Amino acid sequence: MTETPSPPRTPSPAEPWTGDPVRVGLVGAGPWARTMHARMLAAGPETELAAVWARRPEAAAETAAPYGARVAASFDELLGTCEALAFAVPPAVQAVLAPRAARAGRALLLEKPLGPDLASARELAGAIAGAGVVSQLVLSKRYHPATREFLARARQSKVAGARSLYVHGAFLGGEMATGWRLEHGALLDLGPHLLDLLDLAVGPIASVRGTGDPRRWIELTCEHENGAVSQASLSGSIRVARTRTRIELYGEEHELVYDAAELDLEEGWPVLRREFAGAVRGRRAPDPDAARGLRLQELLEQVGRTAA
């Protein structure tokens, strides 16, 4: 009997990267594109920020200049310049442009949610599956070592119930109070993070319902396939001293707590960069990918129906 060979291992961020850098084009030039995507991709050595395209050429130039990246005059020009694309744009824009990139054979680094609604998310995930291209989802906390340690411990625990929250005041004003966030509220922006972690830490979510206003405060109740029940509180419109992301798992054995208040997200970016480049170079299966993003969007759709 012939054993199926294991896929090549992606080197950890501490190990030398021996391959060519992945040439990545950045779609978008807003606050998140400038402060995370461009800086993370340009840091290498696994990736190279090759070009930037945005609706406003002056914003694209401002984002590209610190890293010597070129400014693409059009989205089509960006496609012709790069082997992979990173998206840092509103969900409705990503849902329109990313399928074009997938059909052009480009690997995709995607933001959550995949789209503004379930139909657009399905279209994007279908385009990626049909083209057979690599996709990876920027669920930022997933790449932090502390999160991975928490999830590993959770998988060894029998959880009966969980409480969680993700709250901040960024939607009250400032650069992150963008149009789509103010329109859809915390459910689309913060919801994917908590639902993803609860689904992994407690067990697959069978159903979820919501109550409240996503633009102010919304409560989610999840019923998991293993019989456990979890709750999640979400808001981007309250005055707090700092962002709070916390998950408490309860069971017969012990209590397990994940608190991201003291985490430095900078520790996760090298992991994200290395794993995306490794997936593009065929060294690993990407996780989380667009299929995971679609799963989360299906859960968000359930919440939207019940909350409405």
Side-chain angles (χ1 to χ4, degrees):
M1 180 176 174
T2 303
E3 293 186 2
T4 302
S6 300
R9 182 181 65 88
T10 300
S12 76
E15 299 176 50
W17 177 262
T18 57
D20 294 331
V22 176
R23 290 177 54 81
V24 185
L26 176 58
V27 182
W32 190 235
R34 294 194 308 272
T35 59
M36 195 288 278
H37 278 272
R39 191 164 54 87
M40 183 268 292
L41 294 168
E46 304 90 348
T47 58
E48 172 191 347
L49 180 62
V52 179
W53 175 79
R55 181 177 54 85
R56 295 185 298 114
E58 65 276 13
E62 181 183 348
T63 302
Y67 313 106
R70 64 182 290 182
V71 176
S74 67
F75 183 71
D76 287 334
E77 181 181 316
L78 188 71
L79 283 177
T81 302
C82 308
E83 56 184 311
L85 261 62
F87 287 81
V89 290
V93 179
Q94 176 172 272
V96 171
L97 296 179
R100 289 177 54 189
R103 289 189 285 267
R106 302 299 181 266
L108 305 177
L109 187 62
L110 300 166
E111 277 292 340
K112 49 75 201 161
L114 290 185
D117 51 43
L118 182 56
S120 61
R122 282 177 174 158
E123 182 178 350
L124 174 50
I128 290 169
V133 297
V134 165
S135 65
Q136 191 148 331
L137 198 62
V138 181
L139 287 168
S140 54
K141 292 174 177 58
R142 272 270 226 124
Y143 301 96
H144 197 284
T147 305
R148 294 185 169 185
E149 179 183 355
F150 164 74
L151 292 175
R153 294 180 61 192
R155 282 191 287 268
Q156 302 301 316
S157 305
K158 186 174 181 180
V159 180
R163 297 171 59 89
S164 65
L165 81 163
Y166 191 172
V167 297
H168 60 53
F171 300 171
L172 295 174
E175 287 190 323
M176 300 307 290
T178 53
W180 76 269
R181 291 185 174 92
L182 297 180
E183 177 184 356
H184 296 286
L187 182 60
L188 281 192
D189 190 32
L190 309 183
H193 291 287
L194 275 192
L195 288 173
D196 176 61
L197 293 176
L198 289 171
D199 189 72
L200 294 172
V202 181
I205 297 171
S207 66
V208 56
R209 59 185 184 274
T211 182
D213 182 353
R215 288 165 295 187
R216 297 180 61 198
W217 186 289
I218 186 166
E219 292 283 340
L220 313 183
T221 300
C222 305
E223 296 183 9
H224 298 256
E225 292 179 3
N226 57 13
V229 177
S230 64
Q231 293 182 311
S233 303
L234 300 167
S235 180
S237 303
I238 60 168
R239 196 68 69 182
V240 288
R242 58 182 176 180
T243 298
R244 296 185 60 194
T245 308
R246 183 179 174 90
I247 300 174
E248 302 169 0
L249 304 182
Y250 298 97
E252 296 178 3
E253 302 168 349
H254 53 72
E255 171 188 358
L256 183 60
V257 176
Y258 169 79
D259 193 333
E262 301 299 330
L263 297 188
D264 182 0
L265 288 180
E266 294 290 331
E267 295 181 36
W269 303 144
V271 179
L272 169 58
R273 183 175 59 243
R274 176 65 61 103
E275 293 188 356
F276 179 62
V280 174
R281 293 289 181 248
R283 298 181 180 180
R284 63 180 294 275
D287 176 44
D289 61 4
R292 180 62 175 175
L294 179 57
R295 154 78 171 160
L296 297 175
Q297 197 106 28
E298 289 169 346
L299 296 175
L300 294 174
E301 179 76 5
Q302 285 189 38
V303 176
R305 289 198 304 266
T306 58

